[in-house]
Amino acid sequence: MAEVNQKSGNEPFWLTKSLDEMSPTEWESLCDGCARCCLNKLEDEDTGEIAWTDIGCTLLDGESCRCRDYDNRSATVPDCIRLTPTEIRTLSWLPPTCAYRLVEEGRDLYWWHPLVSGDPDTVHAAGISVRGRTVREEDYPLERWEERIVSWPEEDPAEEAWEDV
């Protein structure tokens, strides 16, 4: 886990506040920009098991790893899930590196998180983001999504493996 980013002896907000206590600005800053949550997933109807694909949401910009229309995303993608503290507690498919999940579990952020590193590109440099690893949803009809199943969104890199990146 990351070293605590201390300023003037104060712990950072993500170590002192619950998700429910965060301001909208703090909440939004928790997103590391990995875009793993913006990958389409398949759920087995019988077991509830989730399979990740490398197919990005129609609004995902695969290079910036940002939503092309964040403020209006629900209008374009009706099944887009708006993350809230309640959703964080119930979603089983959030990546293990997700800052919202880490904070909810009482854990610190990884060294590559922009709030720790001070650099929004460290999430990409560390290989955590989906940058360059997605295909467009428009290019794959639903019946072909099984061809695009991947396991890397579930990876939780050991800090030792990423220290030299």
Side-chain angles (χ1 to χ4, degrees), residues 103-156:
V103 169
E104 178 60 25
E105 293 171 353
R107 298 169 57 202
D108 199 355
L109 305 181
Y110 285 96
W111 66 267
W112 44 259
H113 192 288
L115 288 173
V116 176
S117 70
D119 181 353
D121 287 325
T122 52
V123 68
H124 308 301
I128 303 303
S129 78
V130 304
R131 179 180 279 173
R133 298 198 277 178
T134 63
V135 295
R136 294 172 0 117
E137 184 175 352
E138 298 78 22
D139 295 338
Y140 288 89
L142 184 57
E143 59 270 8
R144 291 191 55 210
W145 283 16
E146 285 188 21
E147 299 171 17
R148 305 302 308 188
I149 292 175
V150 294
S151 62
W152 51 263
E154 296 174 319
E155 293 175 4
D156 187 358

Side-chain angles (χ1 to χ4, degrees), residues 7-144:
K7 294 181 181 174
S8 305
N10 296 326
E11 290 191 47
F13 71 88
W14 63 87
L15 292 177
T16 61
K17 292 183 176 183
S18 71
L19 294 174
D20 296 299
E21 296 170 325
M22 291 183 187
S23 71
T25 301
E26 290 168 334
W27 177 267
E28 290 296 323
S29 72
L30 272 184
C31 177
D32 61 21
C34 76
R36 289 182 181 195
C37 64
C38 298
L39 297 175
N40 284 292
K41 300 150 212 64
L42 298 171
E43 182 176 4
D44 185 298
E45 291 178 10
D46 297 326
T47 66
E49 184 178 338
I50 302 292
W52 293 76
T53 74
D54 64 354
I55 302 170
C57 165
T58 192
L59 290 176
L60 177 63
D61 178 323
E63 286 305 306
S64 70
C65 293
R66 296 291 180 184
C67 183
R68 289 187 180 102
D69 192 10
Y70 184 74
D71 291 336
N72 302 304
R73 64 193 181 278
S74 296
T76 306
V77 182
D79 59 348
C80 179
I81 296 175
R82 186 173 298 269
L83 295 181
T84 66
T86 301
E87 291 292 340
I88 300 300
R89 293 178 193 110
T90 61
L91 296 173
S92 62
W93 51 260
L94 285 174
T97 56
C98 176
Y100 298 102
R101 181 176 179 171
L102 294 172
V103 169
E104 178 60 25
E105 293 171 353
R107 298 169 57 202
D108 199 355
L109 305 181
Y110 285 96
W111 66 267
W112 44 259
H113 192 288
L115 288 173
V116 176
S117 70
D119 181 353
D121 287 325
T122 52
V123 68
H124 308 301
I128 303 303
S129 78
V130 304
R131 179 180 279 173
R133 298 198 277 178
T134 63
V135 295
R136 294 172 0 117
E137 184 175 352
E138 298 78 22
D139 295 338
Y140 288 89
L142 184 57
E143 59 270 8
R144 291 191 55 210

